[in-house]
Amino acid sequence: MTATTPVRSAAGWASTVRLDPRYLPVLGTFVVLALMLAIGGTRYDNFLTPIVYSNLFINNAHLIALAVGMTFVILTGGIDLSVGSVLALSTVIIASLLEAGWPVAVVLPVAVLAGSVIGLAHGVMIQVFGVQPFVATLAGMFFARGLCFVIAPESIPISDPAFTALAGWDSWMGYFRTTTAVVIALVLVAIGFVVLHYTRFGRTVYAIGGGEQSAMLMGLAVARTKVGAYVVSGTCAALGGMLFAMGNRSGYALNGVAMELDAIAAVVIGGTLLTGGTGFVLGSLLGVLTLGTIQTVIQFEGNLSSWWTKIVIGVLLLVFVVLQRALSLRKT
Amino acid sequence: MRQALRHHLFWPVAALVALVAANTIAKPSFLAVTVTDGHLFGAPIDILRAAAPLLLIALGMTLVIATRGIDLSVGAVVAVSGAVALEYISASSDPGSPLTVLVAVGIALGLALVLGLWNGFLVTVLGIQPIIATLILMTAGRGVAMLITGGFITTVTSEPYKGLNSGFLLGIPTAVWIAVGLFVVVSVVVRRTALGMLLEATGINPAASRLAGVRSRTLTWTVYAACGLFAGLAGILVSADTMAADANNAGIFIELDAILAVVIGGTALSGGKFNLSGTFAGVLVIATLERTVTVLGISPHVTPLFMALVVVTVTLLQSPRVRERFAVAAIRRRPVSDGGRGAENGSAEDAAGAAGGAGEEAPEAEQAPVAGAEHASAPDDEKEVTR
């Protein structure tokens, strides 16, 4: 018995590796991230330090929140172009209401609820009226951006003591620094993971992405789940706005312009297929960290200009998309 | 009335008329066009001139969307083409000579064509989804444009180049000649030859059209190349307007405006049937809307809000659910025998229109192979109804 056990476990290990091509894209992202960190570490001093890792999370907490919501929508085979604008709307609502003297305990729920309502409107337009997700969320994007300027055309600083105290809280775990924003973002990732893998809602999301018609024929609650996915995305975007306001201590209508592209890029680099049905929230987290690492490397390089970020992200997107395409071709 | 309501141009034209009416009420001289020095001046001419780049891009976008694709990179191509043309002119020894301008335009258009071919390559040869394939260039393209300008906003003085946008020919701005001329030429080519039908066939069912002998791959590739080329031309018009190569802001969000124009014009993003006249109306709606906001004295930053309202209204009115309501209301008013036929036609059209994911009544045509056949047959009924 002692002789057979190791053999069996080795075979089992080999078969799990072979059986899960679903994990390959995420593994690819992980390898790229590790490679970039390793190359950065050999090129620059002070690159592989806890402070760089901490800042990676602190600077991208809002993007993590957006990517979690976007993962839900993309898994159903849809897309949400409004997240950048909803983020801006949320920062503007928070800043203007705090300026008007409302308490934090009321302001934050109101801002997040605004995001949920916009998400609900998207879901209803898409599910009930059959509008394309691209068009519906594009309208939402314009709507939220315009609303920002109606509420406040100028940048509003946030000086509310309760909010700044909440945003300013941080904790040192050894040399790693965590802020409230990072904690909220990571909790959001954890919730997203649990909801997607351990609830009926999450499994229906995957089923819709895999084949909406089949999901419907199986008697799953397609309509409710699809609307729900957009509500999740709107809520996450508003939460992202809250985290963004925590980082910037201000609300401005031009926050997060084109940030929806970063969120989509992070989700795609994280291994989620835009056709829906395949992907993981943790992959999206890795995708955000990869984008963040590119920016960090370019900052460390110093003499490289900021536009290289865009080019590198584009090239990385290309590599991942071609890789995914090759994988999916081999499967069929 | 029912015929008019069903016509694909009804809602975009209604929106346009409403906007023009609002403008005329706010400023009675809105529609007045005066002739000064043999040139036409007035708000309608301004709107047309401002709409020229969008018109070019919406033209290419309509064709791309007809093949079930989308091109998000056009804004970046606008930036790249403007940057290349102006950089070449500013580096040349004689910025004012027509030859320099001609070469600059040639280089810019050539590069735009290459970018379009690149998109087409990703979509047709590698088989990447159009939205993600063009997202790559959308992200990287602006970086490339910044690389070309070195991060500066290059300003140039060159009379012939400036004339490409603000010059006049027979009293009408050059930009309008270029954009409307190209639009008419492409419309005639697409509708007077089989090209348009082949494009629709590709969009409705790529596999079936290939089996029927349509060279879908070549067609799709051509369409992306054309879209890039038109975007390059739009980039030249935009940069000739400002005479500055602004890699960050030239043509920003123009891809979204173009997609909106196409959607307002009644072309579904799910591909297949398209109508260029609708796109033309859609472009005019967007351009007039932007003008309206300034005429009414509202901050231009709030424009997106009105844009969203127009888009939501028009798309909801065109949505299968609402059109069904109209159809049902019409049937109730008609004799029974005719009504039955009307309902049949109506449901066939709804199935086609809803292919993008209407949910309960209409199956997702893109993902379900069974629904594909129904989808392919539906537009025939539709043609009888709408054209």
Side-chain angles (χ1 to χ4, degrees), chain A residues 126-129 132 134-135 138-139 141-143 149-150 212-213 261 268 274-275 307-308 310-311 314 318 321 325, chain B residues 126-129 132 135-136 139 146-147 150-151 256 259-260 269-270 301 304-305 308 316 319 356 358 363-364 368:
Chain A
I126 291 161
Q127 182 61 39
V128 178
F129 291 98
Q132 292 267 341
F134 194 91
V135 177
L138 189 58
M141 168 187 173
F142 282 128
F143 177 79
F149 281 104
V150 171
E212 188 169 343
Q213 184 128 43
L261 297 183
V268 171
L274 271 179
T275 40
W307 52 81
W308 279 103
K310 293 183 177 178
I311 298 179
L318 175 67
V321 168
R325 182 73 195 148
Chain B
L126 297 187
I128 299 171
Q129 275 176 290
I132 212 39
L135 179 71
I136 293 168
T139 320
M146 284 195 155
L147 203 64
L256 302 182
I259 294 167
L260 286 187
L269 281 186
S270 43
H301 289 306
L305 195 63
L316 286 192
S319 79
E364 275 265 355

Side-chain angles (χ1 to χ4, degrees), chain B residues 261-355:
Chain B
V262 174
V263 170
I264 290 175
T267 302
L269 281 186
S270 43
K273 61 165 186 114
F274 65 98
N275 49 75
L276 287 168
S277 51
T279 300
F280 197 99
V283 169
L284 287 184
V285 167
I286 289 178
T288 314
L289 184 69
E290 276 169 3
R291 183 81 188 180
T292 310
V293 173
T294 25
V295 166
L296 296 180
I298 304 168
S299 156
H301 289 306
V302 189
T303 316
L305 195 63
F306 294 98
M307 203 111 103
L309 293 180
V310 172
V311 175
V312 169
T313 317
V314 173
T315 47
L316 286 192
L317 285 173
Q318 287 172 343
S319 79
R321 188 56 78 90
V322 177
R323 290 175 97 168
E324 203 176 13
R325 278 283 158 77
F326 277 125
V328 169
I331 290 161
R332 282 204 190 117
R333 267 183 262 116
R334 274 163 167 260
V336 183
S337 59
D338 198 359
R341 257 179 54 212
E344 246 174 57
N345 276 348
S347 63
E349 179 176 13
D350 289 339

Side-chain angles (χ1 to χ4, degrees), chain A residues 66-102:
Chain A
L66 296 191
V68 169
M70 187 69 81
T71 311
F72 276 80
V73 170
I74 290 184
L75 280 177
T76 65
I79 200 153
D80 190 347
L81 296 178
S82 72
V83 290
S85 304
V86 172
L87 175 138
L89 182 63
S90 165
T91 66
V92 169
I93 290 178
I94 290 173
S96 58
L97 287 186
L98 284 177
E99 200 187 30
W102 291 40

Side-chain angles (χ1 to χ4, degrees), chain B residues 136-304:
Chain B
I136 293 168
L137 191 57
M138 183 191 191
T139 320
R142 280 197 189 274
V144 172
M146 284 195 155
L147 203 64
I148 292 168
T149 60
F152 298 107
I153 297 180
T154 316
T155 50
V156 174
T157 28
S158 165
E159 276 310 312
Y161 193 75
K162 198 167 188 255
L164 285 177
N165 186 303
S166 45
F168 283 89
L169 193 67
L170 298 176
I172 294 173
T174 336
V176 177
W177 278 111
I178 295 175
V180 175
L182 198 62
F183 198 93
V184 170
V185 168
V186 172
S187 308
V188 168
V189 167
V190 163
R191 281 304 174 203
R192 292 288 156 206
T193 66
L195 191 61
M197 202 189 68
L198 298 182
L199 283 176
E200 289 186 344
T202 308
I204 290 165
N205 194 331
S209 62
R210 202 185 62 241
L211 293 176
V214 179
R215 283 195 282 172
S216 312
R217 182 184 270 203
T218 319
L219 269 176
T220 312
W221 203 338
T222 315
V223 160
Y224 279 95
C227 191
L229 189 66
F230 296 162
L233 196 55
I236 287 169
L237 292 186
V238 167
S239 64
D241 189 23
T242 55
M243 289 309 277
D246 187 348
N248 263 330
N249 295 318
I252 191 142
F253 295 137
I254 204 166
E255 60 279 345
L256 302 182
D257 283 352
I259 294 167
L260 286 187
V262 174
V263 170
I264 290 175
T267 302
L269 281 186
S270 43
K273 61 165 186 114
F274 65 98
N275 49 75
L276 287 168
S277 51
T279 300
F280 197 99
V283 169
L284 287 184
V285 167
I286 289 178
T288 314
L289 184 69
E290 276 169 3
R291 183 81 188 180
T292 310
V293 173
T294 25
V295 166
L296 296 180
I298 304 168
S299 156
H301 289 306
V302 189
T303 316

Side-chain angles (χ1 to χ4, degrees), chain A residues 91-242:
Chain A
T91 66
V92 169
I93 290 178
I94 290 173
S96 58
L97 287 186
L98 284 177
E99 200 187 30
W102 291 40
V104 173
V106 178
V107 170
L108 297 186
V110 165
V112 173
L113 211 62
S116 314
V117 170
I118 290 182
L120 182 66
H122 290 153
V124 169
M125 271 176 82
I126 291 161
Q127 182 61 39
V128 178
F129 291 98
V131 181
Q132 292 267 341
F134 194 91
V135 177
T137 57
L138 189 58
M141 168 187 173
F142 282 128
F143 177 79
R145 188 69 71 187
L147 204 58
C148 286
F149 281 104
V150 171
I151 297 173
E154 307 290 328
S155 174
I156 309 172
I158 299 177
S159 51
D160 184 86
F163 187 82
T164 39
L166 183 67
W169 176 88
D170 60 353
S171 133
W172 292 84
M173 288 184 295
Y175 292 100
F176 289 94
R177 179 166 165 256
T178 346
T179 60
T180 321
V182 174
V183 172
I184 294 176
L186 291 182
V187 167
L188 213 54
V189 171
I191 293 174
F193 180 80
V194 170
V195 167
L196 273 183
H197 295 285
Y198 298 100
T199 66
R200 186 178 296 177
F201 175 76
R203 282 193 296 262
T204 313
V205 164
Y206 276 103
I208 293 175
E212 188 169 343
Q213 184 128 43
S214 327
M216 208 142 49
L217 291 175
M218 279 164 70
L220 295 174
V222 169
R224 209 189 318 147
T225 309
K226 224 166 141 191
V227 175
Y230 287 92
V231 174
V232 167
S233 177
T235 313
C236 283
L239 278 169
M242 186 176 100

